[in-house]
Amino acid sequence: MSARSDVLIVGASAAGLATAESLRRRGFTGTVRLVGEEPHPPYDRPPLSKQVLLGTWDAGRTVLRPPADLACQGIEVLPGRRAVAVDTGRREVTLADGTRLGYGDLVLATGLTPRRLPAFEGVAGVHTLRTLDDVRRLRAALAAARRLAVIGAGVLGCEIAATGRALGLEVTVIDPAPVPMADRLGAGTGLRLAALHREHGVRLLTGTKAEAPVTAGGRVTAVVTSQGPVPADAVVIAVGSLPATDWLRGSGLPLDDGIVCDARCRAADHVYAAGDVARWWHPGQGRTVRLENRSNAAEQALAVADNILGADRAYTPVPYFWTDQHGVRVQIFGDPAAGDHLRVTEGDPDSGPFTAVAEAGGRPVGVIGWNSPRGARRARHLLTDA
Amino acid sequence: MVLRVEIDEPRCVAAGHCVTAAPEVFDQRDSDGVVVLLDAAPPAGERERVREAALLCPAAAILLHERDGA
Ligand SMILES: Cc1cc2nc3c(=O)[nH]c(=O)nc-3n(C[C@H](O)[C@H](O)[C@H](O)COP(=O)(O)OP(=O)(O)OC[C@H]3O[C@@H](n4cnc5c(N)ncnc54)[C@H](O)[C@@H]3O)c2cc1C
Ligand code: SF4
């Protein structure tokens, strides 16, 4: 196999873009091509459920890098093109229009697609939120709605609920779990978050299962739940996402809730994965890990770029994510879980900003900042020193 | 090579990755954690860390202008 200096990246969003840019920053002079299914230039998703849905940012502000800037760096973007197959033997990717693109190294950064609920399929007024086009539709729907039902009290569902309240809607959140976001925040902070939502007038139906829509003329009018019907003229389903790997079936690449990679983020010879879609071997944790957050998309992309350039570097990040709800910014370093003990290191969780360390078996596993960005960042070292 | 750093402040989500990557060049405001630029024209020894910070910023709030010259 000859050495080839062209990198093809499938998925033109946070992780794909960061891979392309860090290859260039590290002096890579070969061809860099970025193939993306969406018609837009690479844009940022976190503002979609916040500023864009609220209307304080127009969609254009989410653009991560103006096309001219990418051209300047010699990064070729092919928007509106969907990859449908990979042949790792011939080192070729086939696009939906039949085009075949060869590669020296391939980076898969196709992210996630929202999980759907079959009972709600095809019903007008029912939405998911992942893309810029989704947020346009949802914004229009909320402008005409009075009552919003959000199915799922994870990060995305909670953010949409908070934005819905800021838009003046009546909002109900439905989730079978007892505490919102407990898997990401730990139970203690999850309860604080539940209180915050209730203080802001969100009706939080925990321990409740959403079963089916009630419709009139094909449009949703309510959601049937295990606690009775919830009237709604708009519904958002936010029950998690699945790695966008359908198109890789039959490629021979290892798939198991993500593209399975080694510690170098490598799925096969000359094939790497980065961002939400990548499941890689974490040497520190002795298991495979997949992260769904914005920082990982950038950080993992850097590791992939380094490894393409021969660094042979294991990827062992300190996970990080943030969320904004009802004017509170919650920041999480590490990996707190529902059963962890919460040790408050600054502030008071009952009244205002605080920083806390989540401990499991006496060891720090997570740092939580509640409107306390400097405190959280300062405590981060507890996780790396552990 | 000259490196000039610019911050798109309203984009900043106070993640603090920039401060971890390049503490000589970035700090965070006490009140809301928004980035404070300590040095808009960092010296040669800091530049690699600053480029790393710009790549790691999860909000693309750090803009770099690189130009040839002294
Ligand atoms: C509404 C919303 C709010 C969020 N808020 C936060 C937050 O506050 N904090 C945080 O840390 N994280 C947040 N996230 C998560 C963060 O946005 C993701 O972790 C990040 O976008 C992952 O980047 P990625 O490049 O891996 O994947 P994605 O951003 O999903 O990009 C994948 C791209 O690949 C394209 N693609 C897929 N299949 C193909 C194909 N076959 N061919 C070509 N192209 C394809 C897709 O169209 C998409 O553009 C949020 C996500 C969403 C949706
Ligand atoms: S890394 Fe980016 S978002 Fe985070 S504090 Fe620095 S500039 Fe702001």
Side-chain angles (χ1 to χ4, degrees):
Chain A
M1 236 179 267
S2 62
R4 289 179 50 179
S5 67
D6 55 321
V7 176
L8 177 66
I9 301 165
V10 183
S13 187
L17 175 69
T19 309
E21 291 199 315
S22 55
L23 281 169
R24 285 290 184 244
R25 285 243 168 87
R26 280 151 170 67
F28 180 74
T29 54
T31 309
V32 177
R33 274 190 287 197
L34 202 49
V35 175
E37 183 179 9
E38 296 184 65
H40 315 288
Y43 64 89
D44 208 15
R45 275 169 231 283
L48 299 186
S49 51
K50 309 174 183 78
Q51 296 92 331
V52 181
L53 186 57
L54 189 60
T56 52
W57 282 22
D58 74 45
R61 235 180 118 46
T62 62
V63 172
L64 282 169
R65 211 68 73 208
D69 224 83
L70 292 171
C72 252
Q73 299 183 64
I75 295 168
E76 195 186 324
V77 187
L78 288 78
R81 312 279 285 275
R82 182 178 160 75
V84 293
V86 176
D87 184 331
T88 54
R90 301 168 73 119
R91 291 212 230 163
E92 245 176 29
V93 168
T94 307
L95 306 186
D97 62 10
T99 311
R100 292 179 182 194
L101 302 172
Y103 63 81
D105 289 284
L106 175 65
V107 180
L108 303 169
T110 49
L112 307 173
T113 48
R115 182 178 287 145
R116 294 173 188 283
L117 297 177
F120 290 80
E121 281 299 289
V123 175
V126 175
H127 297 259
T128 52
L129 177 56
R130 181 82 196 167
T131 67
L132 210 43
D133 296 332
D134 291 340
V135 77
R136 287 204 174 102
R137 283 187 287 265
L138 181 57
R139 234 183 102 59
L142 294 192
R146 215 158 49 78
R147 288 184 289 216
L148 167 67
V150 180
I151 302 179
V155 186
L156 187 59
C158 285
E159 286 188 358
I160 293 168
T163 305
R165 281 301 295 153
L167 287 167
L169 297 167
E170 257 176 57
V171 179
T172 307
V173 179
I174 305 158
D175 196 299
V179 179
M181 280 177 62
D183 56 331
R184 300 290 294 271
L185 296 176
T189 317
L191 285 170
R192 180 71 194 86
L193 191 75
L196 179 76
H197 278 284
R198 292 192 169 111
E199 282 158 29
H200 282 82
V202 172
R203 189 171 164 226
L204 198 53
L205 295 180
T206 49
T208 306
K209 202 170 163 335
E211 277 154 5
V214 180
T215 59
R219 281 204 68 83
V220 71
T221 58
V223 176
V224 181
T225 79
S226 54
Q227 307 276 347
V230 172
D233 32 33
V235 173
V236 180
I237 298 180
V239 295
S241 305
L242 301 169
T245 53
D246 275 12
W247 67 288
L248 294 171
R249 278 202 208 119
S251 66
L253 291 171
L255 305 176
D256 179 12
D257 182 39
I259 300 163
V260 183
C261 299
D262 66 13
R264 271 76 184 157
C265 311
R266 190 173 40 214
D269 276 351
H270 302 286
V271 182
Y272 299 80
D276 286 2
V277 78
R279 171 173 289 285
W280 85 102
W281 180 259
H282 193 301
Q285 300 200 6
R287 59 184 174 118
T288 65
V289 173
R290 193 170 64 73
L291 297 177
E292 298 180 2
N293 67 62
R294 183 61 181 79
S295 287
N296 178 64
E299 247 181 290
Q300 194 163 23
L302 256 68
V304 165
D306 285 349
N307 285 333
I308 288 176
L309 298 176
D312 194 34
R313 162 153 93 87
Y315 179 55
T316 54
V318 175
Y320 170 81
F321 84 98
W322 81 96
T323 173
D324 296 320
Q325 300 174 28
H326 306 292
V328 173
R329 170 162 292 149
V330 187
Q331 296 175 300
I332 310 284
F333 288 100
D335 204 5
D340 297 343
H341 170 71
L342 212 58
R343 184 165 59 84
V344 177
T345 55
E346 274 179 59
D348 178 3
D350 291 328
S351 59
F354 71 92
T355 306
V357 180
E359 295 172 328
R363 243 172 27 93
V365 294
V367 168
I368 295 146
W370 181 281
N371 267 342
S372 157
R374 281 175 63 102
R377 196 198 77 235
R378 276 195 302 258
R380 174 189 186 273
H381 73 90
L382 293 172
L383 304 172
T384 46
D385 298 349
Chain B
M1 215 47 163
V2 181
L3 179 67
R4 203 165 54 75
V5 187
E6 195 192 330
I7 300 290
D8 185 350
E9 217 182 85
R11 286 192 81 103
C12 173
V13 297
H17 297 347
C18 53
V19 189
T20 307
E24 306 290 321
V25 178
F26 303 101
D27 196 3
Q28 282 180 285
R29 214 149 63 193
D30 260 322
S31 52
D32 55 4
V34 165
V35 62
V36 176
L37 186 58
L38 303 175
D39 189 351
E46 287 296 323
R47 285 178 202 156
E48 230 6 82
R49 283 189 281 272
V50 171
R51 290 189 189 105
E52 203 70 12
L55 284 171
L56 286 174
C57 171
I62 302 172
L63 309 172
L64 300 185
H65 307 278
E66 312 218 23
R67 233 174 295 117
D68 291 329

